[in-house]
Amino acid sequence: MSEYEDRPTFSIPHRAYPMKIALEEAVSTSVFNATETVPAVDAASELPYTRGEYGRDVGRRLTDLDLRVQSMGQAGIALSVVSLTMPGIEGVFDTEAAVDFARRVNDEIYQTYVAGEYADRFRAFACVPMQRPEAAATEIVRAVMELGAVGALVNGYSNVDGANNVQYLDEPQCEPFWAALEALDVPLYLHPRIPVPNQLRAYSGFEFLAGSPWGFGVETATHAVRLMLSGLFDRHPRLKIILGHCGEGLPFSLSRIDARLRHFRGELVGATETLQTYWERNFWVTTAGVFSESTLADTLRSCGSDRVLFSVDYPYESYEEIGTWFDHLELDASTRAKVGWQNAANLLNLAR
Amino acid sequence: MSEYEDRPTFSIPHRAYPMKIALEEAVSTSVFNATETVPAVDAASELPYTRGEYGRDVGRRLTDLDLRVQSMGQAGIALSVVSLTMPGIEGVFDTEAAVDFARRVNDEIYQTYVAGEYADRFRAFACVPMQRPEAAATEIVRAVMELGAVGALVNGYSNVDGANNVQYLDEPQCEPFWAALEALDVPLYLHPRIPVPNQLRAYSGFEFLAGSPWGFGVETATHAVRLMLSGLFDRHPRLKIILGHCGEGLPFSLSRIDARLRHFRGELVGATETLQTYWERNFWVTTAGVFSESTLADTLRSCGSDRVLFSVDYPYESYEEIGTWFDHLELDASTRAKVGWQNAANLLNLAR
Amino acid sequence: MSEYEDRPTFSIPHRAYPMKIALEEAVSTSVFNATETVPAVDAASELPYTRGEYGRDVGRRLTDLDLRVQSMGQAGIALSVVSLTMPGIEGVFDTEAAVDFARRVNDEIYQTYVAGEYADRFRAFACVPMQRPEAAATEIVRAVMELGAVGALVNGYSNVDGANNVQYLDEPQCEPFWAALEALDVPLYLHPRIPVPNQLRAYSGFEFLAGSPWGFGVETATHAVRLMLSGLFDRHPRLKIILGHCGEGLPFSLSRIDARLRHFRGELVGATETLQTYWERNFWVTTAGVFSESTLADTLRSCGSDRVLFSVDYPYESYEEIGTWFDHLELDASTRAKVGWQNAANLLNLAR
Amino acid sequence: MSEYEDRPTFSIPHRAYPMKIALEEAVSTSVFNATETVPAVDAASELPYTRGEYGRDVGRRLTDLDLRVQSMGQAGIALSVVSLTMPGIEGVFDTEAAVDFARRVNDEIYQTYVAGEYADRFRAFACVPMQRPEAAATEIVRAVMELGAVGALVNGYSNVDGANNVQYLDEPQCEPFWAALEALDVPLYLHPRIPVPNQLRAYSGFEFLAGSPWGFGVETATHAVRLMLSGLFDRHPRLKIILGHCGEGLPFSLSRIDARLRHFRGELVGATETLQTYWERNFWVTTAGVFSESTLADTLRSCGSDRVLFSVDYPYESYEEIGTWFDHLELDASTRAKVGWQNAANLLNLAR
């Protein structure tokens, strides 16, 4: 019998890496459920992709703790940083309700995950009621100081007093929240949210496009560019923003934007630095939802190896699938350790 | 004296490549001028970045033929494929006027460039009145057969009967135009246009963002994704679409979109193939407006070396600057020739 | 039951590509066997790595036709270009015997493979008796014209009249062979051979190193650099050389050598062009023996996508293993087709 | 006048980076001169490329301190780690003389550079008399503890008692030196030396090839592979080896060697780990002599960004040329700082 039979092959990883940390991992809670709790945006219409078998499977996995821990184990993921799934508190129309929900959701996530049965396997990004930025500031301080939250996660724009009034994070009234975040020295994960009604949905038959990863990426990247151009990082140079999905396309496009902006600096652009400067100083990106080797290579080239972090986007993606993908990647040991777990440990100050 | 002094250095290119062909090169005409001809969209508001010295310089270069030929010579560009600058015919509110303008613009560009004083230095992409697709079909046939146009260029969506009604190229009524284009076997250059009013301009102070390359890229890439998801390339598998700016970010994002869409195929997605399949079969991309070595490398990896074409985006960019950038690139001779001139010659059937 | 179970995963290829062509595929013959036929170099000492179970397995696979065809089928390899395994005719000390053996080996390979039971699955590179270059010229003409050989394969240097006198292909007496090859317009595959006794074996305990892929690569790359510096490609600009193993390390090193040589051109270097020029004009490389995604990416970047060809190095490597590796690669369809089969079909003129 | 005139162009760097540290920077001394001091190998024949104007220029720059500091300033190089140029002490036939020379050379370099007029601009790698490893151990301890040397630099193999007996660093008698080096926790720079007489020089007319960067790279990479296969890094897992020239081609080839060696592990290969494991744990590489953007990109991918260090190879190369090349590279700020200066500062413990 030939030794060929028991040689390693390319369908079996040579090694597994069980220390991985994942950062864009969604949960739902009993006190706040995106599709049932009112008054809030109609999440069912915002999340058309939740229909069908895939949708039901996602729904179950959002709350099944044992299944989550089991899947993490199979995927070699030591720690998940969980957060409330979109649209989250940002979709609550009533500001008072948003403030109240955020607090109760953070408490529940703390009890269930951070201080729960599998406490060593979980940390949390807190939700915050951006409808009232002072309250968001208060809540992130409480969540970090009292509940051990390692940062905040915001699902894009916030509805303020209804579906038709949206607020982006670069608007001046958000200042108290940013000040608190910078003082705490914890990052904000800027998570996608379905784009506000626009051309993506203008033509019948393409509503779906808005909810696809294309719409998510465009909306979130635009939000990030707004933050950069607003001068936010001139006022708060130590802010730390995390983007998922290998940076939502920005690594590919920043140099072109900066090249164009050189013609307008001072006149139309208030920010003092190039976008690339903010990108390299204030942004981290995760691999959530990505399993393309070339997209990761491009991202590493754009961001350097200290600012890219493994993530999955569970339960919208599979822990096992993306974990296996990562373990198969042709990476040097140093870069694998950084992306897989060290960068997250540093950014979130996980090593005590 | 040391020989170091006369050694080649990295600020002097070892070689220049004078055979380059450029494809996204804008002109203005006397019969139709984006900022003066009525009834049309208010181009001044659509093009806020045309203000100031940069704007005046662009305005002059849009029509200065001798300066263009001189700059092409300095940049080693043998041939420019010119086209009417945005918003172009697509911004004309009156359909009859659009039909008439398109015809007269194509005639003028033919006289001035294709059959003009420097006939050996120019070809043209025709403009078409998409407000009436049958007329667009008729005009592209005329322009190709009688005026030697090597394809069409469309500036995104079209205004139909006013500012508030826009039509995208995937809408069913555009079918006659696509049928004509496929029969002629010439490509369509899908050029950016400023996004329709949407979240990019929702917040005061960020109107500029819509007109920046960020807004352009998002609008155009979304338009391209619409074409792919609409099933257009199932009905017309031989259509050839050109995108500028290294593919408007799509090389970075396609794999993720396809990965998400596998959950919804058949149910919400009508197209029969993956986006990657259409991308590799129906799309070509140019370097117009890009001078990042890593963005080009990513694009070559996504598209292969037969579908990437050098371009400049003159006069919004500089022939000399992007031409020099290209001549300095560390490329093997075969890839340089393909991207620099051979792919364009093949796609546009330029070798007689 | 969740749909996760039957989703594609990363350990199962989405598609297989059954049209692959492989070019560095060794056979042994009954008329000439590297370890038994005399008078020849002691192949056993030259091939220390043939010992053990791996060596026995290789020995069996060198001649088992049915097993080869079966493995090709499982690996999606439509066509193998076979050639006599090293050290081959090059190791024969007696020149008359070398001339005779080459002719008889080519006849046997023709009968067994090219015109045999699986004629549609095989082509051949002829062996040639470089010990007498005129005879090598005669034999390659006969093999191509009468036996349908698609080129020649030479295992590095040749022993001439014994173990201690070796001849490299850049030596002047080889000229008649090169002239014939250029006239026939068929390529030479420059295959590795164990380095001549040198520092690799100077220290007891490291003889093995000489026969490892490290020694093979160094010897073959040095041989190729000799060809370039000798001016061979100035005299015969249409010669086509194939190197295996992604170019034996040369893509990584050529730019540095050229940078150094600029100081000595004319004085010590007779060749008129840079090494890079010859590389891009006269050389093709195969993936034989390589299954590193990043080495392939580097090679594509150095050579362009028209000069890289899939290969395996069977039976020293496994058809299935390298075939599966290739089918899993994240490549655009155009580049995959080129590397997988089109470039070989073009170079070897396989399409009738 | 157009604003185009004063826009940044690609022939002018946007920024200069004046903090760079360079590590493979050669000097000659008055007590020991490669071409004049006896008894030693005939350096003139070993260094044929030193002839002509280039050779004279190199000769002058090896000792001109003011010119060196001036060039460093123009190139943005804050600190050079200097070392005795090849063949150095390794080419001394008389062991007693070698021991004596090493000590006196280290003293002179200390006086002239480390404690000299420009003390803040220089550090040194010590030379060691490997002809007597116990003495080499004693000398590296003295150089590090008393003279502030930041490591040792060895020019490949050593002549022991004449031209015909060479010793490689993996030979057992070198053990005391390695033990000292590991205890001191300082790196060894394994610098190229011309290959010992072998096939590179076997054919008249190609002696030059042996002294070209091709021969240097092959010799040095082979030496490094010997170290890995010898089990040295199993016995001394904390040893730190620096290779120049982006790793002498090894990043491109290691995966193939490891793939082959899996068949022979235990039988012929004594080392317990894969070469890739040693590579990622025990090796650092510099850019000395390289100015290819793609070679650097390949190297970063192989080594990760923490193990690649800027260097020049002055005076064989130009500080200004390679410094300018580095300043123009499209690198993210973090990677640029690491490669440019941070990795060197960490490895050499330069930050007090």
Side-chain angles (χ1 to χ4, degrees):
Chain A
M1 173 161 180
S2 163
E3 68 177 1
Y4 278 89
E5 271 67 33
D6 54 40
R7 273 201 274 158
T9 72
F10 293 94
S11 38
I12 301 170
H14 290 234
R15 293 186 54 188
Y17 298 91
M19 297 169 61
K20 294 189 289 291
I21 300 175
L23 284 83
E24 187 183 320
E25 318 310 329
V27 299
S28 193
T29 60
S30 58
V31 301
F32 181 82
N33 179 306
T35 54
E36 298 164 10
T37 315
V38 290
V41 71
D42 179 6
S45 73
E46 182 158 324
L47 302 175
Y49 61 92
T50 59
R51 293 177 291 185
E53 188 191 356
Y54 171 76
R56 282 188 297 276
D57 185 58
V58 164
R60 178 169 63 100
R61 289 171 182 257
L62 277 168
T63 56
D64 189 329
L65 176 58
D66 289 329
L67 179 56
R68 183 182 296 260
V69 172
Q70 178 190 337
S71 293
M72 286 168 59
Q74 287 171 357
I77 294 169
L79 191 83
S80 283
V81 183
V82 296
S83 51
L84 181 64
T85 193
M86 65 176 175
I89 303 301
E90 292 75 13
V92 177
F93 295 167
D94 182 297
T95 294
E96 296 302 328
V99 173
D100 181 58
F101 274 134
R103 191 175 172 96
R104 289 162 58 203
V105 164
N106 287 334
D107 286 344
E108 178 177 335
I109 289 178
Y110 174 75
Q111 292 297 339
T112 308
Y113 296 92
V114 180
E117 182 181 356
Y118 304 102
D120 58 330
R121 308 298 296 277
F122 293 105
R123 291 293 183 282
F125 286 128
C127 56
V128 287
M130 285 308 304
Q131 292 89 340
R132 183 178 290 159
E134 296 80 2
T138 301
E139 180 59 16
I140 188 60
V141 171
R142 185 187 78 96
V144 169
M145 303 304 286
E146 298 182 18
L147 305 180
V150 293
L153 183 143
V154 168
N155 296 292
Y157 59 87
S158 297
N159 292 96
V160 182
D161 295 327
N164 296 321
N165 187 25
V166 302
Q167 167 191 278
Y168 282 86
L169 288 161
D170 54 286
E171 300 189 43
Q173 64 271 27
C174 299
E175 192 68 16
F177 171 70
W178 290 118
L181 205 69
E182 191 180 36
L184 290 166
D185 193 28
V186 294
L188 173 82
Y189 202 118
L190 183 58
H191 188 279
R193 189 179 175 193
I194 200 170
V196 291
N198 65 357
Q199 89 281 15
L200 288 171
R201 293 195 262 183
Y203 172 59
S204 168
F206 281 94
E207 289 182 5
F208 170 69
L209 190 56
S212 82
W214 177 248
F216 287 145
V218 165
E219 172 70 26
T220 312
T222 301
H223 203 156
V225 173
R226 289 180 64 142
L227 297 185
M228 292 190 237
L229 289 178
S230 75
L232 172 67
F233 302 113
D234 297 328
R235 296 191 300 279
H236 300 288
R238 290 177 293 116
L239 284 178
K240 297 169 178 173
I241 311 294
I242 310 174
L243 295 178
H245 316 101
C246 281
E248 312 286 8
L250 287 174
F252 197 90
S253 301
L254 283 177
S255 67
R256 170 155 161 75
I257 306 180
D258 272 331
R260 294 291 305 163
L261 293 182
R262 62 183 167 163
H263 304 305
F264 309 105
R265 198 153 287 287
E267 181 188 5
L268 292 166
V269 181
T272 60
E273 305 289 340
T274 62
L275 271 60
Q276 191 70 32
T277 301
Y278 302 128
W279 182 250
E280 295 175 353
R281 191 184 72 195
N282 299 100
F283 284 82
W284 281 252
V285 307
T286 77
T287 67
V290 170
F291 27 87
S292 159
E293 183 278 341
S294 45
T295 298
L296 177 61
D298 300 348
T299 304
L300 282 166
R301 186 164 172 162
S302 167
C303 301
S305 57
D306 291 344
R307 293 176 176 271
V308 181
L309 308 94
F310 175 78
S311 285
V312 170
D313 203 2
Y314 184 91
Y316 301 101
E317 302 289 348
S318 155
Y319 275 132
E320 293 91 333
E321 193 170 51
I322 295 192
T324 301
W325 168 76
F326 184 79
D327 287 355
H328 274 80
L329 284 172
E330 202 174 305
L331 287 176
D332 73 284
S334 162
T335 301
R336 186 185 303 279
K338 288 180 178 184
V339 174
W341 52 91
Q342 287 175 354
N343 291 343
N346 289 339
L347 177 62
L348 305 179
N349 202 20
L350 293 178
R352 281 131 308 251
Chain B
M1 174 159 180
S2 161
E3 67 177 3
Y4 277 89
E5 271 65 36
D6 54 39
R7 272 201 276 159
T9 72
F10 293 94
S11 38
I12 299 171
H14 290 234
R15 292 186 56 187
Y17 299 90
M19 298 170 61
K20 293 191 288 292
I21 299 175
L23 285 82
E24 186 182 321
E25 317 311 329
V27 300
S28 193
T29 62
S30 58
V31 302
F32 182 83
N33 180 307
T35 54
E36 297 163 11
T37 314
V38 291
V41 72
D42 179 7
S45 74
E46 182 157 323
L47 303 175
Y49 62 91
T50 59
R51 292 178 290 186
E53 188 190 357
Y54 171 74
R56 283 188 297 276
D57 186 56
V58 164
R60 177 168 63 99
R61 289 172 181 255
L62 278 168
T63 56
D64 189 328
L65 177 58
D66 289 330
L67 180 57
R68 183 181 296 258
V69 172
Q70 180 192 335
S71 293
M72 285 168 58
Q74 288 172 358
I77 293 169
L79 190 84
S80 283
V81 183
V82 296
S83 50
L84 181 64
T85 194
M86 64 177 177
I89 302 301
E90 291 75 14
V92 178
F93 295 168
D94 182 298
T95 294
E96 296 302 327
V99 173
D100 181 58
F101 273 134
R103 191 174 171 96
R104 288 162 58 202
V105 164
N106 287 335
D107 285 344
E108 179 177 335
I109 288 178
Y110 174 75
Q111 292 297 339
T112 307
Y113 296 92
V114 180
E117 182 180 355
Y118 304 101
D120 58 330
R121 308 297 298 276
F122 294 105
R123 291 290 184 285
F125 287 127
C127 57
V128 286
M130 285 308 303
Q131 291 87 345
R132 183 178 291 159
E134 297 80 2
T138 301
E139 180 59 16
I140 189 60
V141 170
R142 186 187 77 94
V144 170
M145 303 303 288
E146 298 181 18
L147 306 181
V150 294
L153 183 143
V154 168
N155 295 293
Y157 60 86
S158 298
N159 293 97
V160 181
D161 295 327
N164 296 322
N165 187 25
V166 303
Q167 168 192 279
Y168 282 86
L169 287 162
D170 54 286
E171 301 191 41
Q173 63 272 25
C174 297
E175 191 69 16
F177 171 70
W178 290 117
L181 205 69
E182 191 180 35
L184 290 166
D185 194 28
V186 295
L188 174 83
Y189 203 118
L190 183 59
H191 188 279
R193 190 178 173 191
I194 200 170
V196 291
N198 64 356
Q199 89 281 13
L200 289 171
R201 294 195 263 182
Y203 171 58
S204 169
F206 282 94
E207 289 182 3
F208 169 70
L209 190 56
S212 82
W214 178 249
F216 287 146
V218 164
E219 172 70 25
T220 311
T222 301
H223 203 156
V225 173
R226 288 179 62 142
L227 296 185
M228 292 190 238
L229 289 178
S230 74
L232 173 66
F233 302 113
D234 297 328
R235 296 191 301 277
H236 300 288
R238 289 176 293 117
L239 284 177
K240 297 169 178 173
I241 311 294
I242 310 174
L243 295 177
H245 316 101
C246 281
E248 312 287 7
L250 288 175
F252 197 90
S253 302
L254 282 178
S255 67
R256 168 153 162 77
I257 306 180
D258 272 331
R260 294 292 303 164
L261 292 183
R262 63 184 165 161
H263 303 306
F264 309 105
R265 199 153 285 287
E267 181 188 5
L268 292 166
V269 180
T272 60
E273 306 289 340
T274 63
L275 272 59
Q276 192 69 30
T277 300
Y278 301 127
W279 182 251
E280 294 176 354
R281 191 183 72 195
N282 298 101
F283 284 81
W284 280 252
V285 308
T286 78
T287 67
V290 170
F291 26 87
S292 159
E293 185 278 340
S294 45
T295 298
L296 177 60
D298 300 349
T299 304
L300 282 167
R301 185 163 172 163
S302 167
C303 301
S305 57
D306 292 343
R307 293 176 175 272
V308 181
L309 307 94
F310 175 78
S311 286
V312 171
D313 204 359
Y314 184 91
Y316 300 101
E317 302 290 347
S318 156
Y319 276 131
E320 292 90 335
E321 193 170 50
I322 295 193
T324 301
W325 168 75
F326 184 80
D327 288 354
H328 275 81
L329 285 171
E330 201 174 306
L331 287 177
D332 73 285
S334 162
T335 301
R336 187 186 302 279
K338 287 180 179 186
V339 175
W341 52 91
Q342 287 176 355
N343 291 343
N346 289 339
L347 177 61
L348 306 180
N349 203 19
L350 293 177
R352 282 132 307 252
Chain C
M1 173 160 179
S2 163
E3 67 176 2
Y4 278 90
E5 272 66 32
D6 53 37
R7 272 201 275 158
T9 72
F10 293 94
S11 39
I12 299 171
H14 288 234
R15 292 186 56 188
Y17 299 90
M19 298 169 61
K20 294 190 289 291
I21 299 175
L23 285 82
E24 188 183 319
E25 317 311 328
V27 299
S28 192
T29 61
S30 58
V31 300
F32 182 82
N33 179 306
T35 54
E36 298 164 11
T37 314
V38 289
V41 72
D42 179 8
S45 74
E46 182 156 325
L47 303 174
Y49 61 91
T50 58
R51 292 178 290 185
E53 188 189 358
Y54 171 74
R56 283 188 296 276
D57 186 56
V58 164
R60 178 168 64 100
R61 290 172 182 256
L62 277 168
T63 55
D64 189 330
L65 177 58
D66 289 329
L67 180 56
R68 184 182 295 259
V69 172
Q70 179 191 336
S71 293
M72 286 168 58
Q74 287 172 357
I77 293 170
L79 190 85
S80 282
V81 183
V82 296
S83 50
L84 181 64
T85 193
M86 64 177 177
I89 303 301
E90 291 74 13
V92 178
F93 295 168
D94 182 298
T95 294
E96 296 303 326
V99 172
D100 181 59
F101 273 134
R103 191 174 171 96
R104 288 163 58 202
V105 164
N106 287 334
D107 286 342
E108 179 177 336
I109 290 179
Y110 173 76
Q111 291 298 338
T112 308
Y113 296 92
V114 180
E117 182 180 356
Y118 305 101
D120 58 330
R121 307 298 296 278
F122 293 105
R123 291 289 185 283
F125 287 128
C127 56
V128 287
M130 285 308 302
Q131 290 87 343
R132 184 176 292 159
E134 296 80 3
T138 302
E139 181 59 16
I140 188 60
V141 170
R142 185 187 78 96
V144 170
M145 303 302 287
E146 298 181 18
L147 305 180
V150 295
L153 182 142
V154 168
N155 295 292
Y157 59 88
S158 298
N159 293 97
V160 182
D161 294 326
N164 296 322
N165 187 25
V166 302
Q167 167 191 279
Y168 282 86
L169 288 162
D170 55 286
E171 300 190 43
Q173 64 270 26
C174 298
E175 191 69 16
F177 171 70
W178 291 118
L181 206 69
E182 191 179 35
L184 290 166
D185 193 29
V186 295
L188 175 81
Y189 201 117
L190 184 58
H191 188 278
R193 189 178 174 192
I194 199 171
V196 291
N198 64 356
Q199 90 281 14
L200 289 170
R201 294 194 262 183
Y203 172 58
S204 168
F206 281 93
E207 289 181 6
F208 170 68
L209 191 55
S212 81
W214 178 250
F216 286 145
V218 165
E219 172 70 25
T220 311
T222 301
H223 203 157
V225 172
R226 289 180 62 143
L227 296 185
M228 292 191 240
L229 289 178
S230 74
L232 173 66
F233 302 112
D234 297 328
R235 296 192 299 278
H236 300 288
R238 288 175 294 118
L239 284 178
K240 296 170 178 173
I241 311 294
I242 310 174
L243 295 177
H245 316 101
C246 282
E248 312 287 5
L250 288 174
F252 197 91
S253 302
L254 283 177
S255 67
R256 168 154 162 74
I257 306 180
D258 271 331
R260 295 290 306 162
L261 293 183
R262 61 183 168 163
H263 303 306
F264 308 106
R265 199 154 285 287
E267 182 188 5
L268 292 167
V269 181
T272 59
E273 306 288 340
T274 63
L275 273 58
Q276 192 71 30
T277 301
Y278 302 127
W279 183 250
E280 294 175 353
R281 191 184 71 194
N282 298 100
F283 284 81
W284 279 251
V285 308
T286 77
T287 67
V290 170
F291 26 86
S292 158
E293 184 279 341
S294 44
T295 298
L296 177 60
D298 300 350
T299 304
L300 282 167
R301 185 163 173 164
S302 166
C303 301
S305 56
D306 291 345
R307 293 175 176 271
V308 181
L309 308 95
F310 174 77
S311 286
V312 170
D313 204 359
Y314 184 90
Y316 301 101
E317 302 289 347
S318 155
Y319 276 133
E320 293 90 334
E321 192 170 51
I322 295 194
T324 301
W325 168 76
F326 184 79
D327 288 356
H328 276 80
L329 285 171
E330 202 174 305
L331 287 176
D332 74 285
S334 163
T335 301
R336 187 186 302 279
K338 287 180 179 184
V339 175
W341 52 90
Q342 287 176 355
N343 291 343
N346 289 339
L347 177 61
L348 306 180
N349 203 19
L350 294 178
R352 281 131 308 250
Chain D
M1 174 159 179
S2 162
E3 69 176 0
Y4 278 88
E5 272 66 33
D6 53 42
R7 272 201 275 157
T9 73
F10 292 93
S11 38
I12 299 169
H14 289 235
R15 294 185 56 186
Y17 299 90
M19 298 168 62
K20 293 189 289 292
I21 299 175
L23 284 82
E24 187 183 319
E25 318 310 330
V27 300
S28 192
T29 61
S30 58
V31 300
F32 182 82
N33 180 307
T35 54
E36 297 164 12
T37 313
V38 290
V41 72
D42 178 6
S45 73
E46 182 157 324
L47 303 175
Y49 63 92
T50 58
R51 292 177 289 184
E53 188 189 357
Y54 172 75
R56 285 188 295 275
D57 186 57
V58 164
R60 179 168 63 100
R61 289 172 182 255
L62 277 168
T63 56
D64 189 329
L65 177 58
D66 289 329
L67 180 56
R68 184 182 296 260
V69 172
Q70 178 190 337
S71 293
M72 285 168 59
Q74 287 170 357
I77 294 169
L79 190 84
S80 284
V81 182
V82 296
S83 50
L84 181 63
T85 192
M86 64 176 176
I89 303 302
E90 291 75 12
V92 178
F93 296 167
D94 182 297
T95 295
E96 295 302 328
V99 173
D100 181 58
F101 273 134
R103 192 175 170 96
R104 289 162 58 202
V105 164
N106 287 335
D107 285 344
E108 179 177 335
I109 289 178
Y110 173 75
Q111 292 296 339
T112 308
Y113 296 93
V114 180
E117 183 181 357
Y118 305 100
D120 57 332
R121 307 298 296 277
F122 293 105
R123 292 291 184 283
F125 287 127
C127 56
V128 287
M130 285 308 303
Q131 291 87 342
R132 184 178 290 158
E134 297 79 2
T138 301
E139 181 58 17
I140 188 60
V141 170
R142 186 187 77 95
V144 170
M145 304 304 286
E146 298 182 18
L147 306 180
V150 294
L153 183 142
V154 169
N155 296 293
Y157 59 87
S158 297
N159 292 97
V160 181
D161 295 326
N164 296 321
N165 187 26
V166 303
Q167 168 191 277
Y168 283 86
L169 289 162
D170 54 286
E171 300 191 43
Q173 63 271 27
C174 298
E175 191 68 17
F177 171 70
W178 291 118
L181 205 69
E182 191 179 36
L184 290 166
D185 194 26
V186 295
L188 174 81
Y189 202 118
L190 183 58
H191 188 279
R193 189 178 175 193
I194 199 169
V196 292
N198 64 356
Q199 89 281 17
L200 289 170
R201 294 195 261 182
Y203 172 57
S204 170
F206 281 93
E207 290 183 5
F208 169 67
L209 191 57
S212 80
W214 179 248
F216 287 145
V218 164
E219 172 70 25
T220 312
T222 301
H223 203 156
V225 172
R226 288 179 63 143
L227 297 184
M228 292 191 237
L229 289 178
S230 73
L232 173 65
F233 302 112
D234 297 328
R235 295 191 300 278
H236 300 287
R238 288 177 293 116
L239 284 178
K240 297 170 178 173
I241 311 294
I242 311 175
L243 296 178
H245 316 101
C246 281
E248 312 286 8
L250 288 174
F252 197 90
S253 302
L254 283 177
S255 67
R256 168 154 162 75
I257 306 180
D258 272 331
R260 295 291 307 164
L261 293 183
R262 63 183 166 162
H263 303 305
F264 309 105
R265 199 153 286 288
E267 182 188 4
L268 292 167
V269 181
T272 60
E273 305 288 339
T274 63
L275 272 60
Q276 192 69 32
T277 301
Y278 301 127
W279 182 250
E280 295 176 352
R281 189 184 73 195
N282 299 99
F283 284 81
W284 279 252
V285 307
T286 78
T287 67
V290 170
F291 27 86
S292 159
E293 184 277 341
S294 44
T295 297
L296 177 60
D298 300 349
T299 304
L300 283 166
R301 185 163 173 164
S302 167
C303 302
S305 56
D306 291 344
R307 292 176 177 272
V308 181
L309 307 94
F310 175 77
S311 285
V312 170
D313 203 359
Y314 184 90
Y316 301 101
E317 303 289 346
S318 156
Y319 276 132
E320 293 90 334
E321 194 171 50
I322 295 193
T324 302
W325 167 77
F326 184 80
D327 287 355
H328 276 80
L329 284 171
E330 202 174 305
L331 287 176
D332 74 285
S334 163
T335 302
R336 186 185 304 279
K338 288 180 177 183
V339 174
W341 53 90
Q342 286 177 357
N343 292 343
N346 288 340
L347 176 61
L348 306 179
N349 203 19
L350 293 178
R352 280 131 307 250

